């Protein structure tokens, strides 16, 4: 949006440079008219300013009969309605995907129909652990990953989240769908790649019972980049199976929900750009309307000048007559 505004300003300055000397009516414009008539001339600069603030206002000031006096306000009203509508829809979808991630409780069962997890779809305990009653950090998976190899990139600086900063904010909801390093909190990923059939999570009491087996990480040949994981849940282990790249079905749906919200916000941004353009075009049109009105005022003011030949004192004499309708 900043880039668009910059282009608008650049375009406006260019138009102003081209038109500044001729586009406004000079007080001496009508010096060469045959007949001088005093009337209240319209100020083009004032009309331009009025329409820049409220599209159509400058046209109304200059000439109420101009069709653009009514076109620009109608366009403005429609654009404002569209902007508000798409913004509200974006916020509604934003609320839905945030609720989907952390505001609802789901249940995961094993093949024996035994509940192995109850909690939110994204559980921050899985990602970075929690502080127990003695203020001791019970590690989550990001601490486990960061401590495996000394040469890898996964350290406390790489992971921006920490137990002292766990509030749910805009960056939180963006990161859990954007970066693979925050995939550990998604419940379905954890149950496949970190759960071994014995560890449990007591979500109601915010307690974490570590699983005996840590995730089976897959690394590149230099042990510097994490590539994925081998399943640890017995129900998901396939003999000879290769590692899986980071994936979560819950996360995939969450990403689509975020994209739907972003589409609405993007449309609102486009409409906002159109509103700015409507103000710009209306202000330039107000100059045109004012210029035209000042030029044609004599005919618009119901004053008529006629040049004709009339019989006067038995001679045909050319005469210039003036008529005013009342």
């Amino acid at each position: 949006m900043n880039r668009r505004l910059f282009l608008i300003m650049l375009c406006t300055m260019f138009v102003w440079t081209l038109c500044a000397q001729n586009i406004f009516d000079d007080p001496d414009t009508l010096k060469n008219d045959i007949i001088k008539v005093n009337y209240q001339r319209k100020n083009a600069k004032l009309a331009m300013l009025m329409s820049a603030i409220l599209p159509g206002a400058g046209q109304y000031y200059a000439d109420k009969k101009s069709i653009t006096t009514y076109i620009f306000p109608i366009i403005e009203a429609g654009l404002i309605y569209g902007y508000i509508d798409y913004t509200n829809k974006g916020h509604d979808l934003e609320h839905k995907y945030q609720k989907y991630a952390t505001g609802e409780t789901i249940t995961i069962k094993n093949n024996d129909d035994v509940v192995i997890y109850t909690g939110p779809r994204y559980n921050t305990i899985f990602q970075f652990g929690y502080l127990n009653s003695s203020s001791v950090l019970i590690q989550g998976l990001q601490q486990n990953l960061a401590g495996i190899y000394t040469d890898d990139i996964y350290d406390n600086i790489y992971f921006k989240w920490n137990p002292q900063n766990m509030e749910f904010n805009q960056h939180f909801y963006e990161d859990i769908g954007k970066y693979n390093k925050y995939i550990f909190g998604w419940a379905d990923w954890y149950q496949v790649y970190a759960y071994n059939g014995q560890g449990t999570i007591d979500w109601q009491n915010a307690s974490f019972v570590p699983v005996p087996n840590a995730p089976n990480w897959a690394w590149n040949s230099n042990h510097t980049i994490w590539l994925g994981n081998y399943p640890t849940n017995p129900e998901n282990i396939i003999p000879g199976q290769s590692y899986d790249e980071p994936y979560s079905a819950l996360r995939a749906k969450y990403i689509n929900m975020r994209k739907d919200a972003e589409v609405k916000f993007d449309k609102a941004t486009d409409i906002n750009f159109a509103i700015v353009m409507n103000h710009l075009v209306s202000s330039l049109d107000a100059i045109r309307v004012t210029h035209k009105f000042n030029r044609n005022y004599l005919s618009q003011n119901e004053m008529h000048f006629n040049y004709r030949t009339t019989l006067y004192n038995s001679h045909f004499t050319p005469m210039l007559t003036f008529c005013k309708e009342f």
Side-chain angles (χ1 to χ4, degrees):
M1 188 59 192
N2 291 335
R3 182 179 300 175
R4 290 174 176 172
L5 288 176
F6 174 77
L7 292 175
I8 292 175
M9 294 175 61
L10 198 62
C11 179
T12 304
M13 293 175 62
F14 178 73
V15 173
W16 184 274
T17 302
L18 291 178
C19 304
Q21 296 181 353
N22 300 316
I23 201 166
F24 297 118
D25 286 336
D26 192 321
D28 297 328
T29 298
L30 303 179
K31 276 186 176 180
N32 296 325
D33 290 347
I34 297 177
I35 299 299
K36 299 291 191 299
V37 179
N38 293 325
Y39 66 95
Q40 186 178 2
R41 300 175 67 257
K42 302 299 183 179
N43 190 316
K45 294 180 180 179
L46 176 60
M48 174 182 169
L49 178 61
M50 292 174 66
S51 284
I53 297 174
L54 179 62
Q59 287 85 341
Y60 184 84
Y61 155 77
D63 183 7
K64 301 180 180 63
K65 297 179 181 179
S66 174
I67 188 172
T68 55
T69 301
Y70 309 98
I71 290 178
F72 285 109
I74 292 174
I75 294 175
E76 183 78 359
L79 291 174
I80 291 176
Y81 173 82
Y83 175 80
I84 295 175
D85 183 56
Y86 279 114
T87 299
N88 289 337
K89 288 179 179 178
H91 285 305
D92 289 341
L93 293 176
E94 184 180 56
H95 174 73
K96 288 182 179 179
Y97 73 66
Q98 291 177 356
K99 181 179 179 181
Y100 172 85
T102 58
E104 296 177 339
T105 299
I106 65 170
T107 298
I108 297 179
K109 298 180 179 180
N110 60 16
N111 292 340
D112 297 325
D113 204 32
V114 176
V115 175
I116 58 177
Y117 174 73
T118 300
R121 292 181 178 87
Y122 193 91
N123 194 330
T124 56
I125 288 179
F126 296 158
Q127 179 68 37
F128 50 75
Y130 72 101
L131 295 175
N132 63 16
S133 57
S134 301
S135 298
V136 176
L137 174 63
I138 305 300
Q139 288 190 345
L141 296 187
Q142 74 175 36
Q143 286 89 357
N144 181 279
L145 175 62
I148 296 180
Y149 296 106
T150 58
D151 295 331
D152 63 46
I153 63 175
Y154 304 94
D155 53 22
N156 292 332
I157 297 178
Y158 184 77
F159 290 102
K160 294 183 293 185
W161 295 357
N162 60 75
Q164 285 76 36
N165 184 26
M166 294 173 60
E167 70 273 10
F168 298 151
N169 53 36
Q170 184 67 29
H171 292 291
F172 170 86
Y173 288 106
E174 178 182 355
D175 291 348
I176 62 178
K178 186 175 182 180
Y179 300 111
N180 285 336
K181 61 183 178 180
Y182 296 123
I183 198 173
F184 313 141
W186 291 102
D188 59 339
W189 185 95
Y190 185 90
Q191 301 307 321
V192 174
Y193 302 105
Y195 178 69
N196 71 344
Q198 299 179 22
T200 59
I201 294 293
D202 185 356
W203 175 250
Q204 292 183 345
N205 297 318
S207 60
F208 175 79
V209 180
V211 298
N213 294 332
N216 192 356
W217 308 99
W219 293 82
N220 66 345
S221 58
N222 296 326
H223 292 163
T224 55
I225 300 177
W226 162 60
L227 301 178
N229 290 81
Y230 296 90
T232 57
N233 189 329
E235 296 180 356
N236 298 98
I237 295 177
I238 301 175
Q241 177 184 4
S242 177
Y243 70 88
D244 294 329
E245 296 180 358
Y247 176 79
S248 161
L250 295 178
R251 178 176 180 249
K253 181 176 180 179
Y254 175 81
I255 292 174
N256 288 332
M257 294 176 70
R258 271 184 55 84
K259 288 181 178 178
D260 291 340
E262 290 173 357
V263 168
K264 302 300 182 184
F265 286 128
D266 287 343
K267 289 184 177 180
T269 300
D270 291 340
I271 292 177
N272 191 34
F273 171 73
I275 290 175
V276 175
M277 289 299 300
N278 190 49
H279 283 247
L280 174 61
V281 175
S282 178
S283 64
L284 296 178
D285 180 72
I287 300 174
R288 179 194 65 82
V289 173
T290 306
H291 187 77
K292 180 180 179 181
F293 177 83
N294 288 337
R295 284 290 187 182
N296 301 328
Y297 183 83
L298 295 180
S299 60
Q300 294 174 355
N301 200 36
E302 299 178 341
M303 293 181 294
H304 306 282
F305 294 86
N306 294 318
Y307 181 79
R308 59 188 178 182
T309 301
T310 305
L311 185 64
Y312 182 74
N313 291 333
S314 301
H315 297 284
F316 286 100
T317 305
M319 301 183 66
L320 180 67
T321 61
F322 166 75
C323 298
K324 169 68 177 177
E325 295 182 3
F326 298 93

